[in-house]
Amino acid sequence: AADTAPASPAPTPQSFGKTRGGTPVQIYTLTNRNGCEARITNYGGIVVSLKVPDRNGHLDDVVLGHDDLAGYEAHPSPYFGAMIGRYGNRIAQGRFALDGRDYQLALNDAPNTLHGGKQGFDKRLWDAREITTPDGPALELTYTSPDGEEGYPGKLGVKATYTLTNNDELRLAFEATTDKPTVVNLTNHSYFDLHGPASKGDILDHEATLFASKFIPVDRTSIPLGELRPVAGTPFDFTKPTKIGARLGDPYEQLHLGPGGYDHTFVLDGYDPKTAATAAPFLAARVHDPASGRTLELWTSEPGVQFYTGNFLDGTFSGKKGNVYKKHAAFCLEPQHYPDSPNHPEWPSVILRPGETYRSTFFYRFTAQ
Ligand code: GLA
């Protein structure tokens, strides 16, 4: 029973200013049949805002971000809303071997490489094209990453299609091809606070369900120890709806690395290595905000999801409308292959070879009860 008749859709695209280097940047507005709205910029493929209804039908922005392009260009970056590549998450010491050759990647998260390196896909300008699909309005972004960029082998052609479906889903479909063997692991880094503007400053009261009976413990630099550990009997058991903040103070070592909190890959039970990325997305996670009634579901065909509770937000990142984001201001659900997979041949493969097409499709679905 939405009481908000959709306002007339915002004009699209609009200018999002110029980069420090002087290149004009656009922001595109996708508006679905129900009035939900996603604003996406071709700088970094960033989802700048995402308006979805609460239980009374009020449309509110539920993602963290900045008001302007300069905010997104600032360093260090929390990667608000960004397209992440070529490799989401960390690779130990930025090193891996492929077909007997050693590669050294740019190091930007000492001593490791994180989210594609110093200038990952989140800081690149993408070519954009708005399209209308039977499912809803969409934006197609393309980028060609040159051979050797950030140390990665192969010229990688990437297409990312963002669709705001008429079922209130933000769907991301990624495709990539290469001219040399390489590694690929693309994702999106949206930070959600389902309270919207009625934010309490943190998401500790949100109830999370993660369809994962194992998680990946890490060392102090967030590199996997190698083990897939059962969540049963640990504060990582989200197989039943549990408040995100309920066990943050538990004396469990994995919760107290670095700034503390969840920043781990959960091993998704729905993943089937036999069908892998060609499989239809399955339900991986659900997060519900009892205050607004909003529920977010993540559907993906990836083997893992990084559940991150904004642990590095420390009040130094200024955000939209004068907001200063503090620890646990938001949560991320980043569907992906496991961190450091290039150094773990026993895990689902992230290798892409000439002639093959990398594909990953996932969506965030919004409802309200
Ligand atoms: C990911 C990582 C975190 C952090 C954020 C960005 O979620 O797992 O450790 O680096 O990105 O701040």
Side-chain angles (χ1 to χ4, degrees), residues 77-79 89-90 109 114-115 189 191 222 263-264 306-308 311-313 317 332 334 336:
S77 154
Y79 301 90
N89 219 309
R90 294 171 178 82
D109 188 58
L114 171 68
H115 295 335
H189 211 305
Y191 284 70
S222 288
D263 188 5
H264 292 77
Q306 185 81 3
F307 178 53
Y308 171 56
N311 313 333
F312 289 104
L313 301 176
F317 295 108
C332 303
E334 308 156 55
Q336 53 187 241

Side-chain angles (χ1 to χ4, degrees), residues 233-257:
T234 79
F236 287 71
D237 188 350
F238 281 97
T239 54
K240 297 202 183 69
T242 309
K243 285 202 189 303
I244 291 177
R247 298 164 301 188
L248 279 172
D250 284 15
Y252 188 76
E253 193 209 8
Q254 284 293 313
L255 275 178
H256 305 285
L257 306 168

Side-chain angles (χ1 to χ4, degrees), residues 43-291:
Y43 176 83
I46 294 169
V47 180
V48 172
S49 71
L50 182 60
K51 288 186 184 159
V52 297
D54 68 6
R55 66 162 71 83
N56 300 314
H58 289 291
L59 296 165
D60 290 316
D61 185 9
V62 294
V63 293
L64 268 51
H66 305 286
D67 286 327
D68 57 17
L69 183 59
Y72 288 101
E73 284 189 287
H75 267 286
S77 154
Y79 301 90
F80 288 144
M83 167 85 206
I84 303 290
R86 294 186 187 189
Y87 197 95
N89 219 309
R90 294 171 178 82
I91 298 177
Q93 298 179 41
R95 261 191 246 148
F96 66 98
L98 180 56
D99 296 344
R101 273 199 59 181
D102 292 326
Y103 295 95
Q104 177 65 61
L105 307 170
L107 303 177
N108 62 326
D109 188 58
N112 306 314
T113 186
L114 171 68
H115 295 335
K118 295 196 165 118
Q119 206 181 344
F121 289 178
D122 58 295
K123 297 177 188 73
R124 304 282 172 185
L125 284 167
W126 294 65
D127 288 327
R129 192 167 72 99
E130 289 177 283
I131 48 179
T132 323
T133 78
D135 298 334
L139 183 69
E140 196 181 273
L141 297 174
T142 48
Y143 174 66
T144 304
S145 172
D147 185 12
E149 188 176 71
E150 301 294 313
Y152 289 94
K155 176 169 129 186
L156 194 75
V158 187
K159 186 166 97 175
T161 309
Y162 295 54
T163 308
L164 186 63
T165 76
N166 293 319
N167 292 327
D168 297 353
E169 298 150 343
L170 180 63
R171 188 167 72 204
L172 290 90
F174 300 146
E175 274 181 28
T177 53
T178 183
D179 65 356
K180 286 184 191 162
T182 191
V183 296
V184 188
N185 188 31
L186 307 179
T187 192
N188 175 267
H189 211 305
S190 288
Y191 284 70
F192 300 97
D193 174 356
L194 300 179
H195 298 129
S199 172
K200 301 172 180 173
D202 66 60
I203 44 66
L204 300 181
D205 66 343
H206 286 25
E207 295 158 3
T209 316
L210 304 178
F211 298 92
S213 44
K214 290 182 182 150
F215 79 105
I216 303 186
V218 293
D219 70 13
R220 298 214 151 260
T221 73
S222 288
I223 293 297
L225 302 175
E227 164 202 3
L228 309 183
R229 185 180 295 176
V231 297
T234 79
F236 287 71
D237 188 350
F238 281 97
T239 54
K240 297 202 183 69
T242 309
K243 285 202 189 303
I244 291 177
R247 298 164 301 188
L248 279 172
D250 284 15
Y252 188 76
E253 193 209 8
Q254 284 293 313
L255 275 178
H256 305 285
L257 306 168
Y262 298 97
D263 188 5
H264 292 77
T265 298
F266 284 72
V267 175
L268 295 171
D269 295 334
Y271 177 75
D272 178 355
K274 285 188 221 82
T275 49
T278 58
F282 54 84
L283 179 60
R286 180 186 288 129
V287 180
H288 175 67
D289 165 28

